[in-house]
Amino acid sequence: QATRMPNEDSKYSGNVNEKTSETINPIDRLTDPTNEPFALNFARSVDFKLMPINEVLENHYTQEQREMYAEIKKRTIDDPEFMRKFEDEKKWADERCLLRYLRASHDNVEKAINMLRDTLVWRQKYQPLRPFPSTSESPRPGKVYFNSHDAHGHPILYMLPRHETLVGHAHAEEHVRFTVFMFEAITRLMRPPIEKLVLIIDYRGMAMSKAPGLNVAKQINDILNKHYVETLYKAFVVEPPWYVNVSMKLIWPFIHPVTRAKVYMVQGPFTGERHTNEKNHHALDKDFQDDAIPLQIDADESSSTVHLQAHLSDHIPAESLSDMFGGECKHRWKYERDWPALMRSLGLPIPEMKNDKA
């Protein structure tokens, strides 16, 4: 039986015990010390009722799934011997984390426990939130940053490869680590019931020389697939050039089928007339366009080539969508302002700022 997902797009208002839960902003609005709002804020007027975990289980999971969850909990976070090696990850491995792994395993207790164990081992070794030295160039140009939210409160992570300054094999490890760092940061700053993010990868203006190697893309995909399960809400790939198309076709077989269904192709223009009609807006379009990436579903599911198109304004409110895509949000990453604020929000050391321009 397929797992019934908690409905993140509802406000849970009819299911909440008012005596045991509180009204929260799903992602705390981040502010600087002067209390002036700045561009790292995620949600504006998107309030949810925080449902206690027992009510989440009761309202969104079957009896069989609740028993599976109890078994996983008993053998992992409730087992002192299991958690003895992962003292630093006790806060991360909470009850909602177990539900994510139960869903990702498709209701397989042993698989969920093994996946969770593998991730805990990886987190202990990799340390995804390990601070970058103040001399690092990775945070400066704004090649990866997050700001605002979609219509349902999911934070938006922007990736702008054209701003890449570290190219070549020598910088591959740092490229992977910084991308993972930003994924980790955004998941740390989310608040229940929001557990997923929106990813926008904008390939416009990217020179071929700045394209990450296939090995880098595969490493990032591998880490996100294995260790950030049930984290992606939707991904929008904006105007990928032909050489990115080639790379994506090569890496596509390694992407989980569930993740593939969340990937949308976006072509301009971003103001004025839509580029796609309602029929193929959310549909699986067998007659994909020449400039789109053909996405192949596994043979046991379908032999059809799939093309998902989307218009960003249908998913993200104008006031939250960057004006790079026809929205009203004018924020641009500013290293001297946003990087220290992000470090402060994560409880990490604030780097010493240089006087040079980012």
Side-chain angles (χ1 to χ4, degrees):
Q1 181 177 357
T3 304
R4 289 182 293 174
M5 296 279 292
N7 181 7
E8 291 186 324
D9 298 343
S10 73
K11 293 188 177 181
Y12 297 135
S13 57
N15 298 325
V16 174
N17 184 332
E18 299 293 344
K19 296 182 180 180
T20 60
S21 62
E22 57 182 340
T23 301
I24 63 165
N25 192 305
I27 308 161
D28 291 340
R29 182 169 185 159
L30 307 180
T31 58
D32 66 14
T34 64
N35 201 34
E36 296 177 358
F38 76 115
L40 283 179
N41 79 82
F42 289 147
R44 293 187 292 272
S45 68
V46 183
D47 294 322
F48 288 79
K49 293 285 188 177
L50 176 58
M51 185 182 293
I53 193 68
N54 62 314
E55 293 188 25
V56 172
L57 289 164
E58 183 66 29
N59 286 283
H60 298 288
Y61 292 85
T62 66
Q63 178 62 34
E64 182 181 8
Q65 290 165 339
R66 291 194 290 270
E67 292 173 0
M68 292 177 182
Y69 163 79
E71 179 68 13
I72 294 171
K73 186 171 183 286
K74 175 184 176 182
R75 293 169 56 183
T76 56
I77 63 176
D78 284 352
D79 182 359
E81 184 61 26
F82 179 91
M83 293 301 297
R84 181 175 58 83
K85 298 179 181 180
F86 310 115
E87 289 290 331
D88 294 338
E89 301 298 334
K90 284 185 174 181
K91 185 176 181 180
W92 176 84
D94 60 9
E95 293 169 321
R96 285 176 168 81
C97 174
L98 300 188
L99 289 177
R100 290 196 297 272
Y101 277 81
L102 176 61
R103 298 197 299 267
S105 70
H106 300 287
D107 299 343
N108 185 316
V109 171
E110 295 302 325
K111 184 177 179 180
I113 293 174
N114 290 334
M115 290 170 62
L116 178 61
R117 181 186 293 108
D118 290 345
T119 294
L120 288 168
V121 170
W122 173 83
R123 292 180 65 84
Q124 188 178 58
K125 180 179 180 180
Y126 194 83
Q127 299 180 35
L129 215 58
R130 187 173 67 193
F132 279 75
S134 59
T135 56
S136 174
E137 289 294 320
S138 288
R140 292 178 175 273
K143 59 185 178 182
V144 183
Y145 69 92
F146 43 89
N147 178 62
S148 203
H149 57 92
D150 73 353
H152 306 299
H154 303 104
I156 303 170
L157 183 67
Y158 291 97
M159 300 183 71
L160 309 175
R162 62 180 175 272
H163 290 166
E164 182 61 77
T165 57
L166 303 176
V167 296
H169 179 73
H171 301 291
E173 182 179 349
E174 181 166 354
H175 184 98
V176 173
R177 177 165 283 280
F178 183 70
T179 303
V180 173
F181 178 93
M182 294 302 283
F183 264 84
E184 177 71 17
I186 198 170
T187 58
R188 289 287 186 103
L189 294 173
M190 287 190 285
R191 298 289 180 267
I194 300 298
E195 295 183 315
K196 298 185 179 185
L197 60 89
V198 170
L199 176 63
I200 298 178
I201 309 176
D202 184 6
Y203 283 107
R204 292 174 300 167
M206 184 186 74
M208 188 174 181
S209 61
K210 292 189 176 183
L214 182 61
N215 185 53
V216 169
K218 191 174 183 303
Q219 284 186 62
I220 293 173
N221 173 70
D222 189 55
I223 290 174
L224 299 184
N225 269 342
K226 291 181 178 178
H227 306 306
Y228 291 86
V229 302
E230 292 290 304
T231 299
L232 181 66
Y233 182 63
K234 291 176 182 176
F236 300 95
V237 182
V238 181
E239 298 191 9
W242 67 268
Y243 46 88
V244 173
N245 285 359
V246 172
S247 296
M248 287 190 70
K249 290 176 184 178
L250 292 173
I251 199 175
W252 200 251
F254 300 99
I255 299 177
H256 195 282
V258 173
T259 303
R260 296 179 199 174
K262 300 175 182 179
V263 178
Y264 292 77
M265 299 298 115
V266 178
Q267 299 289 332
F270 296 101
T271 58
E273 188 176 10
R274 295 169 185 263
H275 64 281
T276 183
N277 58 39
E278 292 299 326
K279 182 178 180 180
N280 66 17
H281 179 63
H282 287 295
L284 303 183
D285 183 15
K286 297 180 181 180
D287 299 319
F288 59 92
Q289 300 175 6
D290 292 338
D291 60 354
I293 300 173
L295 312 182
Q296 184 69 38
I297 285 187
D298 287 351
D300 60 342
E301 296 179 17
S302 170
S303 59
S304 301
T305 299
V306 175
H307 173 220
L308 289 176
Q309 283 193 323
H311 198 280
L312 287 171
S313 62
D314 290 338
H315 300 265
I316 302 170
E319 65 271 16
S320 299
L321 180 63
S322 171
D323 60 0
M324 293 184 294
F325 309 104
E328 299 173 2
C329 182
K330 299 184 181 300
H331 167 66
R332 295 293 187 274
W333 174 263
K334 186 176 181 181
Y335 172 72
E336 295 89 345
R337 174 194 63 191
D338 294 346
W339 186 246
L342 177 58
M343 295 302 98
R344 183 166 53 247
S345 300
L346 294 169
L348 298 176
I350 300 176
E352 181 179 350
M353 293 290 101
K354 297 181 181 180
N355 294 325
D356 59 337
K357 294 182 180 181

